[in-house]
Amino acid sequence: MSRVLVTGFEPFGGETTNPSYDAALLVPGVTAVELPCVFADAPAALREAIERHDPALVLCMGQAGGRAVISVEKVAINLIEARIPDNAGARPSGLPVVEGGPDAYLSTLPVKAMVRAVRAEGIPAAVSYTAGTFVCNQVAYALAHLIATERPGLRGGFVHVPYAPHQVTDTDRPSMETATVARALTALVKASDSLEDDLPEGAVQ
Amino acid sequence: MSRVLVTGFEPFGGETTNPSYDAALLVPGVTAVELPCVFADAPAALREAIERHDPALVLCMGQAGGRAVISVEKVAINLIEARIPDNAGARPSGLPVVEGGPDAYLSTLPVKAMVRAVRAEGIPAAVSYTAGTFVCNQVAYALAHLIATERPGLRGGFVHVPYAPHQVTDTDRPSMETATVARALTALVKASDSLEDDLPEGAVQ
Amino acid sequence: MSRVLVTGFEPFGGETTNPSYDAALLVPGVTAVELPCVFADAPAALREAIERHDPALVLCMGQAGGRAVISVEKVAINLIEARIPDNAGARPSGLPVVEGGPDAYLSTLPVKAMVRAVRAEGIPAAVSYTAGTFVCNQVAYALAHLIATERPGLRGGFVHVPYAPHQVTDTDRPSMETATVARALTALVKASDSLEDDLPEGAVQ
Amino acid sequence: MSRVLVTGFEPFGGETTNPSYDAALLVPGVTAVELPCVFADAPAALREAIERHDPALVLCMGQAGGRAVISVEKVAINLIEARIPDNAGARPSGLPVVEGGPDAYLSTLPVKAMVRAVRAEGIPAAVSYTAGTFVCNQVAYALAHLIATERPGLRGGFVHVPYAPHQVTDTDRPSMETATVARALTALVKASDSLEDDLPEGAVQ
């Protein structure tokens, strides 16, 4: 397997952990990097990690509190609308991720094949058509833009993961064990080389 | 008020009514047109309606079963993934709406001001960042593409509405009275001329 | 129709209105009474209303924020567990509604026939098997206990209703128009005399 | 620790596994018994298991598809309303669990302390006030009735668990790893001896 970079985020929104980075640390054979949950810093941190590690594949992950399944993101949009402050206290609204960039990027990874690979491990997964408008979507867009404009040989995409159980013990919100997320991520990395994403049977969900 | 075209869809997915067109018929001072829920026909029907009525504003509406509030769509993507057959029995997957078109369009309407206008009427509303991948998104994309490539003076966007109560009587799914949807639509039409969408208070939701 | 008493609650939990009482006021031919959302006072207020109006039927209603449909309650339990303070600032926990009372009462109203009657009006409805543990359940239990121990000729039950739209304009929570709730309540009153609740086709939900 | 009997159910509703019994098998030091998901047989199978193993504590478990957290049931009602057929093809409706039994039983286990114990393990849990109206509630009621009428020294209750991940891979429904459910169950068994269920801080959820 060629070099793989996996990024997760630092905790945000009052949490003390973030399952996206905790899971990244459990995936064998990849480089795990933690990104700041800060609009002003995250894209540069992503770029620096890519330049340092020169991967063939980058999978960025983020926590999607409230979602119950692994979500492979198909779309990243050129828009920032923060409902809560980021970790630097900023709450930007109505701004593009990249001034003058296209309105959105559709992922060039085989997202449907990737979802099938996770399900084959017995783990719930789905293609998602919105990565939100917070730092996760910013990083998803920044990665797609970097690939489109500077690194055509790089492959990459974004995946959202549920809360870890310990984050939501006194709620009725869905969660997923971090070890399970790591198994899903391992399957996603392998499947990202798949060439059969446009199978005729249609959308995975 | 300048000429306004409002489109709704015919019933689909086993339903016998579609609240999007039922509501369109109740809005005073607009032209209501019903679009076919057929991938092969909907874009042409939209174009024909625009050419015939030459509106200054087009609001296309569709039913988003399961959503509880009026959803003003910010994004339309260049992708079709049908989970169920359309009304012609087609279930296309992995296809673009417009071959060679950009990956997505962000709405140029003041979606946040529009949401505020609906809420001011006492009706729940939110900006939505995914219009799905069915005929609704296809029409949303087709409209944005038409505006971007052929009709720069035209303004337009897409709005999803909940089920009507009578469609879900024996379920626990959310619904909204068609008369309420029509009031929301009236507010949306008025607010679509707003110039103050980038108010500093941030995202509406 | 014999005398009917309908009760709703005063607003609570930071709300300025309560759709249960607002709807009660719209039902023709019934006596509407507002109950305090106060553990220490609600049962006595219910008893006083019954003694004053001497109804043949009592339908008590309450707001069930987050539910999407009319809920006809089948069960009232002898337990108070307040998650938020009532309108007097009390937050009792682990207490019975009636010291020494039975653990619960199953409604003696024809709840399935009542649900069918609401659905026949085109309004979503379901039998519910939990009325919660707040003042609503307290009133539901107190009413059932009063019937069981003192007023065998009285018929009565409890119904939960969704938020009104204006209460949740900036959320994604389900709601129902107050006029629709009033239509449902009118159907419920009529159907509460039904004798065919045990039709062989099984549970309504 | 005194003798503990843990029951789970056989698969039902088209499933090939049931996490309630799969988890029961993973709990150290307890006797695990599988109950049939059949109205006509389940109470007798429960009674037989109790007579054979003579436990001091019985925890019965069932699958609550769609719930995201461990649910410790507080209420069991004397009513059967089957929405789907049981594993013998029966779909009873409007029947009591025990002819002439009380309308319901409130659990005499320290359910709030039990929920706290699961949360202390980093696993989401809540007290639930409805065990439904299917075979799960039937068993919960039958157990409570047996304790109340024949075995005053026995302690017991009912717990609902979420789907296992492999059951819902192609859905967006919440799930919980069976090993996690087993850890929760281990904590529940230990905490069921707690004497401090009525702590003044109020309801757990």
Side-chain angles (χ1 to χ4, degrees), chain D residues 151-174:
Chain D
R151 291 191 168 249
L154 180 61
R155 311 179 77 238
F158 199 92
V159 178
H160 267 118
V161 307
Y163 280 127
H166 68 87
Q167 295 178 281
V168 290
T169 55
D170 56 351
T171 77
D172 58 0
R173 308 189 82 166

Side-chain angles (χ1 to χ4, degrees), chain A residues 69-89:
Chain A
V69 308
I70 300 289
S71 300
V72 184
E73 298 295 345
K74 180 66 181 177
V75 186
I77 64 175
N78 194 16
L79 180 65
I80 294 172
E81 294 281 3
R83 276 183 296 165
I84 60 171
D86 70 10
N87 283 359

